[in-house]
Amino acid sequence: MNVNTDLSFLTLVAQASLVVQAVLLLLAALSLWSWWQIFLKMFQLKRTTRDTDAFENEFWKGGDLNELYQSSSKSRTGSGLELIFTAGFREYAKHRKQGSNAGATMDSARRAMRISSASIARLVWPEPTRRRASVLMGSSRRSEADH
């Protein structure tokens, strides 16, 4: 009695029930989709890092901030840092034109930058991730305060 069974992957899949084949197909499809998403996010992060570095280099050159604001506000593919700068500078320029005092001008510019930063975070991080991150940060703050 010679029992030679072929245990190759293809043979096992071909002889499996329809339910098992469907589950394997679903797992393979979801695996490919998840890797696709991972690579998309990786390319997005590389592009954002490159854009942020370029903007930061331009900012720290010490040139005219009005010119930087003009070029940043016209840019359609600005990095997060560029969008935050644009929001803050827009608010700053508005208050300076109105003749507001320095404290009110700076508070308004900071508020605009915080709002812009939060808006960018909502675009980058889905809601469940933000919620988990805030819970983790909150719990770590509490534990640091307890010590």
Side-chain angles (χ1 to χ4, degrees), residues 9 11 28 30 35 52 57 60 64 80 91-92 104 106 113 117 119 123 128 131-132:
F9 179 75
T11 304
L30 290 175
W35 280 105
T52 298
N57 288 336
W60 288 111
D64 184 14
E91 199 66 21
Y92 172 80
M106 293 308 293
M113 290 188 295
S117 178
S119 298
L123 291 173
R131 199 173 310 124
R132 279 193 307 267

Side-chain angles (χ1 to χ4, degrees), residues 30-42:
L30 290 175
S31 177
L32 290 173
W33 178 81
S34 67
W35 280 105
W36 176 259
Q37 294 300 313
I38 289 167
F39 282 111
L40 285 178
K41 186 59 78 170
M42 183 183 69

Side-chain angles (χ1 to χ4, degrees), residues 68-130:
L68 183 60
Y69 169 72
Q70 293 300 324
S71 66
S72 296
S73 60
K74 292 176 185 175
S75 174
R76 297 251 186 226
T77 61
S79 68
L81 192 58
E82 191 172 3
L83 296 173
I84 293 168
F85 166 77
T86 303
F89 195 83
R90 182 183 314 113
E91 199 66 21
Y92 172 80
K94 180 178 83 173
H95 279 271
R96 293 300 290 173
K97 185 184 269 188
Q98 292 173 351
S100 301
N101 67 30
T105 300
M106 293 308 293
D107 285 343
S108 182
R110 282 189 195 108
R111 186 173 35 259
M113 290 188 295
R114 276 194 309 270
I115 291 169
S116 178
S117 178
S119 298
I120 291 168
R122 278 193 292 278
L123 291 173
V124 174
W125 292 345
E127 178 63 30
T129 304
R130 281 197 321 271

Side-chain angles (χ1 to χ4, degrees), residues 6-78:
D6 186 9
L7 294 179
S8 70
F9 179 75
L10 293 177
T11 304
L12 290 174
V13 171
Q15 293 176 356
S17 70
L18 189 60
V19 173
V20 171
Q21 290 176 349
V23 168
L24 287 173
L25 181 65
L26 179 65
L27 287 172
L30 290 175
S31 177
L32 290 173
W33 178 81
S34 67
W35 280 105
W36 176 259
Q37 294 300 313
I38 289 167
F39 282 111
L40 285 178
K41 186 59 78 170
M42 183 183 69
F43 294 139
Q44 178 188 20
L45 289 173
K46 282 184 180 183
R47 184 177 57 249
T48 301
T49 301
R50 185 185 63 240
D51 292 347
T52 298
D53 288 344
F55 174 76
E56 194 172 11
N57 288 336
E58 191 65 32
F59 179 83
W60 288 111
K61 281 183 183 175
D64 184 14
L65 291 180
N66 285 315
E67 290 177 16
L68 183 60
Y69 169 72
Q70 293 300 324
S71 66
S72 296
S73 60
K74 292 176 185 175
S75 174
R76 297 251 186 226
T77 61

